[in-house]
Amino acid sequence: MTSPDASRTDTGCTAVLNAGSSSIKFALYHGADALLFRGQIERIGAGPRLTAHDAAGRSVAEQSWPALDHRAATREIVRVVAELSAGTPVTAVGHRVVHGGTHYAAPVRIDAGVMEKLAALIPLAPLHQPHNLEPIRAIAEHAPHLPQVACFDTAFHRSQAPVAQAFALPRGLSDEGVRRYGFHGLSYEFIAARLREIAPGIAQQRLIVAHLGNGASLCAMHGGQSVASTMGFTAVDGLVMGTRCGAIDPGVILYLLDQHHMDARQIEDLIYRRSGLLGVSGIASDMRTLRASAAPAAGEAIALFVYRIVREIGSLAAALGGLDGLVFTAGIGENDAATRQAVAEGCGWLGVALDAARNAAGSGRISAEPSRVAVWVVPTDEERMIARHTVATLARETG
Ligand code: ADP
């Protein structure tokens, strides 16, 4: 029998980096699917701290620094990954890149030409794309021959019909890239793949997947492909989120410019960082904190969060022409039974009915037997999706 360590040396490891504005998450897999460990550096710029756990959840690394920038944080992650992989070579690195524009409908191996195209997309995602590209550059300098693959949050949605991707703006603006892209694509793709394994009966049917985390969106899928989504040109559109407002009348932006004399950066700060559950409650962006609060404003924020989900489910069910399955995922979707219950009640007219005990248990199928719509809780795993894409993209290249 081959020992796990011996097989590790055969194929090497795949590292995954998911770089955000204040954190970099990382994971290491043997090949595409066997998790060795995962971790993150949080609070980059304000007391950064690294934590990492092995596949069984045991802590394997912990460290703090007075300060780090993104580049230095990447260097620390490269060092920790090398230490923890204990000499097994890292043979590829996969990155989450928020924007692939209209060009990339699939992951791509990164070279200088690809980097140029990805940098050209910065104006479409100025808050995220630069952070995603920074570790790619840092690793290319540190290890120029290590293959790197970009996996896009937008790619999964390129299957949507043109009408689902369009705004009713003058054509010149659409041609320049002002259109609906959709995000959270790696999460939706993972869920689509997982459903094929655990619920093949509904995997190809008309589904709405609710990714409810700090960022939140819905995706309508048919045949395992994206048909429509609530996020549009940017990841601020659609549902109420932790600190983002979701869809608002564009007239509100004009009002803020005219009456409050706000500039673009101030409006950005308002709609991305001071709105959503935080803005409405005045208490917190975190669902657990709001659930624990007796303040009426906490309940009002949750009620608005749920109301918007229910309304958007109605809209996506119309885009699908009916609904066969509803799937909850991400921090709130996987853990907050009360949100799932409230959403299901709002969707009773569509034929959604939960089994209270299964919903409280919170895994697998949670709908009642007579429910016309099958309801599931399926944990998402964007890092694993990136590892799979990275291995598959490089395997395709080498034939
Ligand atoms: P991110 O979008 O940053 O990846 P997550 O998917 O981790 O976010 O989701 C974070 C959200 O999930 C927070 O609002 C958090 O309160 C919520 N959450 C996590 N665990 C629970 C729980 N047990 N009950 C209710 N909400 C939870």
Side-chain angles (χ1 to χ4, degrees):
M1 210 171 90
T2 323
S3 79
D5 278 354
S7 70
R8 272 171 58 171
T9 12
D10 289 344
T11 52
C13 295
T14 308
V16 170
L17 287 189
N18 178 352
S21 54
S22 67
S23 73
I24 304 179
K25 292 182 186 163
F26 59 93
L28 194 75
Y29 294 85
H30 169 228
D33 255 307
L35 178 70
L36 299 176
F37 58 84
R38 66 199 318 162
Q40 57 183 330
I41 295 188
E42 290 174 286
R43 298 198 307 264
I44 296 172
R49 177 162 176 264
L50 176 143
T51 50
H53 297 88
D54 66 14
R58 285 181 298 253
S59 171
V60 290
E62 220 175 315
Q63 196 174 343
S64 299
W65 298 264
L68 285 179
D69 59 17
H70 273 74
R71 185 157 279 241
T74 304
R75 270 200 307 272
E76 291 298 337
I77 288 172
V78 168
R79 181 184 58 74
V80 167
V81 166
E83 264 172 39
L84 291 177
S85 59
T88 309
V90 173
T91 46
V93 185
H95 297 265
R96 179 187 192 176
V97 175
V98 71
H99 224 301
T102 49
H103 196 78
Y104 294 112
V108 62
R109 177 161 179 179
I110 300 166
D111 59 21
V114 169
M115 273 309 265
E116 226 172 87
K117 289 201 179 85
L118 299 184
L121 294 170
I122 287 175
L124 296 183
L127 299 181
H128 298 99
Q129 194 86 340
H131 295 303
N132 300 156
L133 302 189
E134 181 71 29
I136 300 176
R137 283 198 199 93
I139 290 171
E141 277 168 26
H142 176 84
H145 300 297
L146 186 60
Q148 300 195 74
V149 172
C151 304
F152 303 101
D153 259 337
T154 50
F156 185 65
H157 300 295
R158 296 287 62 76
S159 53
Q160 292 178 6
V163 72
Q165 301 189 50
F167 289 126
L169 287 168
R171 200 166 276 273
L173 279 171
S174 312
D175 294 345
E176 145 186 347
V178 183
R179 50 192 287 161
R180 300 178 62 88
Y181 291 97
F183 298 88
H184 286 143
L186 293 160
S187 172
Y188 292 127
E189 200 177 359
F190 178 84
I191 299 291
R194 187 79 184 116
L195 286 174
R196 284 195 288 275
E197 294 166 4
I198 61 173
I202 63 156
Q204 300 300 319
Q205 295 185 305
R206 296 164 301 181
L207 303 178
I208 294 176
V209 181
H211 177 112
L212 308 177
N214 279 316
S217 70
L218 305 176
C219 178
M221 289 184 202
H222 198 181
Q225 294 199 316
S226 173
V227 167
S229 53
T230 56
M231 281 180 169
F233 180 59
T234 65
V236 77
D237 196 10
L239 303 180
V240 173
M241 305 180 217
T243 61
R244 287 172 248 169
C245 58
I248 53 171
D249 179 343
V252 174
I253 305 289
L254 294 177
Y255 174 85
L256 296 171
L257 289 166
D258 285 342
Q259 304 303 322
H260 287 251
H261 309 293
M262 292 172 84
D263 64 21
R265 297 287 74 77
Q266 290 170 317
I267 294 175
E268 171 190 299
D269 186 51
L270 178 80
I271 65 177
Y272 277 91
R273 299 182 200 94
R274 295 198 286 122
S275 296
L277 293 172
L278 173 66
V280 179
S281 70
I283 297 169
S285 62
D286 193 288
M287 182 58 86
R288 279 166 297 196
T289 312
L290 296 181
R291 287 279 176 213
S293 168
E300 285 162 20
I302 296 172
L304 182 54
F305 178 72
V306 169
Y307 175 78
R308 293 291 311 150
I309 294 169
V310 170
R311 275 193 54 177
E312 291 293 334
I313 286 176
S315 164
L316 292 185
L320 286 165
L323 187 64
D324 303 304
L326 174 63
V327 179
F328 290 95
T329 193
I332 298 170
E334 291 167 29
N335 297 299
D336 195 40
T339 291
R340 293 193 298 261
Q341 180 58 37
V343 169
E345 277 166 17
C347 296
W349 64 278
L350 270 167
V352 174
L354 293 192
D355 179 291
R358 286 194 203 146
N359 184 41
S363 71
R365 189 182 157 137
I366 60 168
S367 41
E369 284 316 328
S371 181
R372 202 163 65 231
V373 175
V375 187
W376 284 73
V377 175
V378 180
T380 194
D381 194 340
E382 289 156 304
E383 280 79 26
R384 191 177 295 270
M385 196 67 237
I386 294 169
R388 287 179 188 167
H389 274 316
T390 302
V391 169
T393 303
L394 297 175
R396 265 196 306 276
E397 271 200 358
T398 52

